[in-house]
């Protein structure tokens, strides 16, 4: 959702953006996910708007020290309606980056834990991101981890082929010794146990010996 500006009865104007920071604030305030907010509930609507204003204002370096109740006391129905229409329309037009089977969406605290614990982000960096931006950052990280995993498997396979070759009559290649799923177009890295590796090595010796 693009940044929106809300004007209170005091004349103050605050930016509003439902970033990950806003979702985290909403979670801390209500105990529920921002994605669970009921757009038909005045309380949920105001708290989501307040969270979006609090997060966007902090990012912009603007002081917005109102509690949800204080914020609501200074909010006109017209401003709330205008923001709601903008937000609902943006949600309707937003495309899910991942097509196909619908999966359980992680909660904001799970995303926060992944960002800080795995990606090494600070809370500030995390809170400034939109959900879409975080999706592409985490996808790039997963893709890189998968690339490194494939590379390690391919190195081990090559070493295995070199070790086995002197003990067999026929010439073997790494791919013929152990074809990987991604070479067959599945795109999935197979988890192989030590027992399975041993079994496949023995099978290769019988096959090529």
């Amino acid at each position: 959702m693009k940044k929106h500006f809300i004007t209170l009865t005091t004349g103050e104007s605050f930016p509003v953006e439902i970033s990950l920071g806003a979702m985290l604030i909403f979670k801390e305030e209500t105990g529920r996910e921002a994605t669970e907010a009921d757009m038909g509930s005045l309380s949920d609507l105001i708290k989501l708007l307040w969270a979006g204003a609090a997060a966007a204002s902090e990012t912009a370096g603007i002081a917005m020290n109102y509690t949800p109740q204080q914020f609501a006391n200074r909010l006109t129905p017209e401003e709330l309606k205008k923001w709601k229409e903008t937000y609902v329309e943006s949600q309707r037009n937003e495309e899910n980056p991942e097509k196909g089977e619908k999966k359980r969406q992680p909660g904001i605290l799970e995303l926060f834990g992944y960002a800080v614990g795995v990606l090494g982000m600070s809370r500030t960096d995390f809170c400034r991101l939109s959900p879409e931006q975080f999706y592409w950052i985490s996808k790039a990280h997963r893709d890189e981890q998968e690339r490194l995993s494939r590379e390690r498997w391919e190195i081990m396979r090559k070493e295995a082929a070199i070790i086995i070759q002197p003990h067999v009559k026929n010439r073997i290649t790494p791919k013929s010794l152990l074809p990987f799923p991604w070479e067959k177009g599945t795109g999935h890295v197979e988890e192989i146990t030590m027992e399975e590796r041993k079994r496949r090595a023995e099978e290769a010796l019988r096959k090529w010996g």
Side-chain angles (χ1 to χ4, degrees), residues 147-158:
R147 185 192 69 79
L148 292 174
S149 176
R150 292 181 179 187
E151 187 176 84
R152 287 192 293 268
W153 276 110
E154 288 167 3
I155 289 173
M156 286 190 291
R157 179 178 64 176
K158 186 174 182 180

Side-chain angles (χ1 to χ4, degrees), residues 12-29:
E12 298 168 289
S13 182
F14 297 104
V16 180
E17 184 176 13
I18 306 304
S19 61
L20 293 175
M23 296 170 75
L24 192 58
I25 291 172
F26 184 88
K27 173 75 172 182
E28 292 169 346
E29 175 66 24

Side-chain angles (χ1 to χ4, degrees), residues 128-145:
R128 288 177 174 173
L129 295 172
S130 69
E132 183 180 11
Q133 289 170 331
F134 184 75
Y135 166 80
W136 289 111
I137 289 172
S138 58
K139 183 179 185 303
H141 178 264
R142 291 194 305 271
D143 289 348
E144 177 62 10
Q145 291 302 109

Side-chain angles (χ1 to χ4, degrees), residues 29-44:
E29 175 66 24
T30 67
R32 294 181 293 116
E33 301 295 337
T35 52
E36 298 171 351
D38 181 0
M39 292 295 98
S41 164
L42 184 60
S43 175
D44 275 10

Side-chain angles (χ1 to χ4, degrees), residues 139-202:
K139 183 179 185 303
H141 178 264
R142 291 194 305 271
D143 289 348
E144 177 62 10
Q145 291 302 109
E146 184 167 322
R147 185 192 69 79
L148 292 174
S149 176
R150 292 181 179 187
E151 187 176 84
R152 287 192 293 268
W153 276 110
E154 288 167 3
I155 289 173
M156 286 190 291
R157 179 178 64 176
K158 186 174 182 180
E159 290 174 346
I162 292 172
I163 293 171
I164 292 173
Q165 184 63 76
H167 304 284
V168 298
K169 297 177 181 178
N170 301 316
R171 180 178 178 277
I172 61 173
T173 65
K175 284 187 179 182
S176 63
L177 177 64
L178 180 61
F180 288 135
W182 56 85
E183 294 170 337
K184 299 177 182 178
T186 64
H188 174 70
V189 180
E190 183 181 10
E191 294 294 334
I192 303 177
T193 64
M194 288 300 295
E195 292 75 14
E196 178 63 11
R197 291 184 204 173
K198 182 179 178 181
R199 186 191 68 77
R200 293 190 182 187
E202 291 173 347

Side-chain angles (χ1 to χ4, degrees), residues 1-13:
M1 178 183 178
K2 292 183 178 180
K3 195 172 292 184
H4 181 90
F5 283 86
I6 198 86
T7 302
L8 303 182
T9 56
T10 57
E12 298 168 289
S13 182

